[in-house]
Amino acid sequence: MPSDLAISRAATRRPLEEVAADMGIGPHLLEPYGSAASKISLDAIDELRDRPRAKYVVVSAITPTPLGSGKTTTAIGLGQGFRHIDKLGVVAIRQPSMGPVFGIKGGAAGGGYAQVIPMEALNLHLTGDMHAVTAAHNLLSAMIGNHIHKGNHLGLDLQEITWRRVLDVNDRELRNIITGLGGPDDGNPLQTGFDISAASEVMALLSLCTSLRDLRERMGRIVVGYDRGGEPVTAEMLKAAGAMTVILKDAIKPNLMQTAEQTPVLVHSGPFGNIATGNSSVVADLIGIHAGDYLITEAGFGADIGAEKFFNIKCRASGLTPDAAVIVATVRDLKTHSNKYRVVAGRPLPPEMLTENPDDVIAGAANLRQQIANIRRHGVTPVIAVNAFPTDYASEHRAIMHVAAEEGVRVAISYHFTEGGKGAVELAEAVAEACSEPSGYHRLYPDELPLPDKIDVIAREMYGADGVDISPLAARQLDKYERAGFGSLPVCIAKTHLSLSADPSIKGAPTGWRLPVREVRASIGAGFIYPICGDMRTMPGLSSAPAAERIDIDHNGEIVGLS
């Protein structure tokens, strides 16, 4: 089979004006960025408002292993599959961060014959939105430092500044730094650090806003720290929010691209899935919901994290109601959840894992069952998508189908990676059937529930925990946020994506454990409180053999090594 890059380059692209026309979007709403992508004006939200509403489908997964489950590939394949049953599926995904692209994960354009093209454009800069987020975030950092240098009339407590800096690279050296070294003209020495741009609250905020005006208001609400009396200090108080919004004036517009089969794809925003929502933007969905028969959006990591945040944070912001949810599962991931194998990113799979063994699949199915329950707890119909690999055995697929039958869930074996849309027809038909059923969607908890109780509900209902253990520091922070008037916000739990528990080494569906909450932070501009459970890295490091070592330009000036 050709490489992803070779497939991307061999695919025929349609003019984006034609792709947009299929969606009911006229050329007056497009701002071309070369031939690879076009920005879509937010005026499209109002212009499309009277068109029929698409069925709304979220693509999630079982708890991923370091290899990933292929959610993006499945979402793209599903969109292509709808074309083969004479329906238009519009796909909405996040923009990849270049940190993972040059790190261990590689590109995030999908894969095989189910990918966004051209993959080089998607994975490398695209239209510059990630850099705009970086610039807006760091402008606020500079304004904080300047305010302190010029007298600090707001009384910012230098030990309570919570706003760090960001950069779109993996660089562990920047996690913890001291700024302001030198003389008096070089600022005040402060201990701080860098996060990756995808972890910025500005990115989360961009993904959840509904308009340029909403973006401006959210910018003003960003809390950068606290004064000596314990009161929050905001970007509005620092007079930085207006300039930050100006930097993002174009970045708020979704990017239109296409798949290898010329299906429309909306690519916009890229918040982290562990400390933020892990979902693409609300404005892209507000356009896409009236632009086809189905709108397919992807939620990062497993259903306990990405889909939970989709249901309780993103849908809360957008007002949109999902009709069905896809749970992506692979044979190799289910085998990993049997706890018999150790899988390490960047290394070959254990040879015994590739032998035929449906019993291992059944042993790992406890995680799948939990994720099915997680979707159903929100009143949404789940569909299992088996992302098929050439190394799978028919008996192993039958094992997954047996689990699905026991749970009363639709299941489809999908070959979109090797066959494109025609390999996803069975999945498209199953999703269409699920969408024809009435949706009973509801959020997991009411806004008025106290913050500690919201955390407890998610821990018990989504993760299978016996409860939560809140540290004294976290308890003080939760109390401070309640007193500040933030108690009605949803919670966005930051924990490992590699386990239902807070311990990444524990696979399957563990029981008899409690969720530790060591710290709680507030993303007031984005509109959520995020409890931190375990050791969360917001600035990744590079591996011993990062992808950057393989990426180069050949003698023809073509990019090589990108995957």
Side-chain angles (χ1 to χ4, degrees):
M1 183 171 170
S3 68
D4 290 351
L5 192 54
I7 291 171
S8 174
R9 287 176 177 163
T12 300
R13 279 189 277 156
R14 293 168 68 197
L16 286 171
E17 293 84 355
E18 294 181 11
V19 177
D22 288 348
M23 304 167 67
I25 295 174
H28 65 290
L29 296 170
L30 299 181
E31 300 173 14
Y33 275 68
S35 61
S38 286
K39 286 281 184 188
I40 302 177
S41 168
L42 296 192
D43 291 342
I45 295 174
D46 287 331
E47 287 202 20
L48 299 176
R49 196 178 300 277
D50 294 333
R51 285 171 56 91
R53 180 191 179 282
K55 296 294 185 179
Y56 194 27
V57 181
V58 60
V59 176
S60 189
I62 64 173
T63 299
T65 67
L67 301 171
S69 300
K71 288 189 307 299
T72 305
T73 308
T74 302
I76 294 165
L78 176 58
Q80 294 178 162
F82 276 121
R83 275 287 176 91
H84 290 260
I85 59 172
D86 298 322
K87 299 292 182 181
L88 178 60
V90 176
V91 181
I93 61 173
R94 289 178 291 172
Q95 179 179 343
S97 163
M98 288 200 302
V101 168
F102 288 104
I104 197 166
K105 183 177 179 181
Y113 290 95
Q115 61 171 295
V116 180
I117 59 169
M119 67 172 296
E120 304 102 306
L122 179 67
N123 288 313
L124 304 173
H125 304 291
L126 194 54
T127 56
D129 296 349
M130 196 75 67
H131 302 306
V133 167
T134 303
H137 182 114
N138 289 339
L139 172 62
L140 180 53
S141 300
M143 294 283 276
I144 294 168
N146 188 61
H147 177 84
I148 295 168
H149 183 67
K150 297 299 183 180
N152 193 15
H153 71 269
L154 291 175
L156 256 173
D157 186 338
L158 302 192
Q159 303 304 313
E160 290 289 333
I161 296 174
T162 56
W163 195 257
R164 290 155 56 92
R165 286 168 169 78
V166 298
L167 198 63
D168 194 30
V169 296
N170 289 4
D171 191 346
R172 62 174 55 84
E173 304 291 333
L174 295 177
R175 287 173 182 162
N176 295 286
I177 62 171
I178 302 292
T179 60
L181 298 179
D185 290 337
D186 296 323
N188 296 279
L190 292 173
Q191 182 174 348
T192 181
F194 277 79
D195 301 322
I196 196 165
S197 297
S200 167
E201 182 179 348
V202 175
M203 180 65 82
L205 185 158
L206 179 68
S207 74
L208 291 169
C209 70
T210 57
S211 66
L212 187 61
R213 173 50 50 189
D214 186 32
L215 176 68
R216 173 62 181 83
E217 292 172 356
R218 287 172 180 267
M219 283 292 190
R221 294 198 294 267
I222 291 174
V223 173
V224 303
Y226 297 85
D227 66 19
R228 297 184 188 98
E231 295 299 314
V233 177
T234 67
E236 195 69 61
M237 295 165 69
L238 288 163
K239 301 180 181 179
M244 294 170 70
T245 306
V246 168
I247 292 174
L248 294 172
K249 186 174 181 295
D250 290 324
I252 191 177
K253 303 169 186 175
N255 306 294
L256 175 64
M257 298 185 75
Q258 60 188 292
T259 74
E261 296 184 6
Q262 305 171 346
T263 301
V265 181
L266 299 170
V267 182
H268 197 220
S269 79
F272 250 27
N274 48 9
I275 69 159
T277 60
N279 283 261
S280 58
S281 77
V282 164
V283 290
D285 285 3
L286 292 177
I287 293 171
I289 200 68
H290 294 291
D293 299 303
Y294 295 86
L295 172 60
I296 304 140
T297 189
E298 177 197 350
F301 301 135
D304 57 304
I305 298 183
E308 184 273 312
K309 295 173 181 180
F310 168 82
F311 291 133
N312 296 298
I313 300 177
K314 185 179 180 182
C315 290
R316 181 181 186 270
S318 70
L320 298 178
T321 301
D323 295 286
V326 174
I327 303 174
V328 180
T330 66
V331 166
R332 66 185 189 181
D333 279 0
L334 287 168
K335 286 183 175 181
T336 303
H337 281 294
S338 71
N339 279 308
K340 288 180 60 176
Y341 306 100
R342 183 170 181 267
V343 176
V344 179
R347 297 182 185 177
L349 290 172
E352 61 273 18
M353 194 173 171
L354 299 177
T355 61
E356 184 174 6
N357 197 329
D359 290 342
D360 283 354
V361 175
I362 294 294
N367 188 276
L368 174 58
R369 295 180 194 273
Q370 177 67 40
Q371 304 294 16
I372 291 170
N374 288 344
I375 297 297
R376 283 176 162 162
R377 282 187 178 92
H378 293 90
V380 178
T381 302
V383 176
I384 299 172
V386 180
N387 181 15
F389 282 71
T391 53
D392 296 348
Y393 292 90
S395 63
E396 295 169 337
H397 288 169
R398 287 195 297 270
I400 301 174
M401 295 171 72
H402 175 73
V403 173
E406 289 185 335
E407 295 291 332
V409 178
R410 292 179 179 87
V411 61
I413 312 299
S414 191
Y415 298 92
H416 47 273
F417 184 88
T418 53
E419 299 179 15
K422 67 180 181 181
V425 167
E426 181 183 337
L427 176 59
E429 291 173 339
V431 171
E433 286 181 3
C435 286
S436 68
E437 299 176 355
S439 174
Y441 162 72
H442 57 268
R443 299 206 295 268
L444 195 61
Y445 49 80
D447 290 348
E448 61 271 16
L449 194 69
L451 292 173
D453 293 340
K454 290 174 183 173
I455 299 169
D456 188 74
V457 167
I458 294 174
R460 293 177 185 272
E461 296 291 316
M462 295 290 102
Y463 310 154
D466 289 343
V468 297
D469 292 326
I470 298 176
S471 73
L473 170 63
R476 291 194 299 271
Q477 291 166 329
L478 286 167
D479 181 64
K480 177 170 68 174
Y481 300 147
E482 293 275 7
R483 286 187 284 103
F486 305 150
S488 64
L489 294 177
V491 294
C492 182
I493 293 183
K495 77 170 189 72
T496 179
H497 60 286
L498 296 173
S499 174
L500 284 167
S501 75
D503 183 344
S505 67
I506 300 176
K507 306 303 179 186
T511 58
W513 64 280
R514 298 178 64 84
L515 182 72
V517 180
R518 65 174 177 85
E519 182 183 354
V520 184
R521 298 179 186 174
S523 290
I524 305 306
F528 55 74
I529 303 298
Y530 66 101
I532 299 176
C533 307
D535 185 16
M536 303 303 301
R537 292 293 189 193
T538 52
M539 170 55 84
L542 293 172
S543 66
S544 56
E549 294 180 354
R550 304 185 296 275
I551 297 172
D552 206 338
I553 296 290
D554 68 14
H555 63 279
N556 293 318
E558 298 281 0
I559 296 172
V560 295
L562 187 64
S563 62

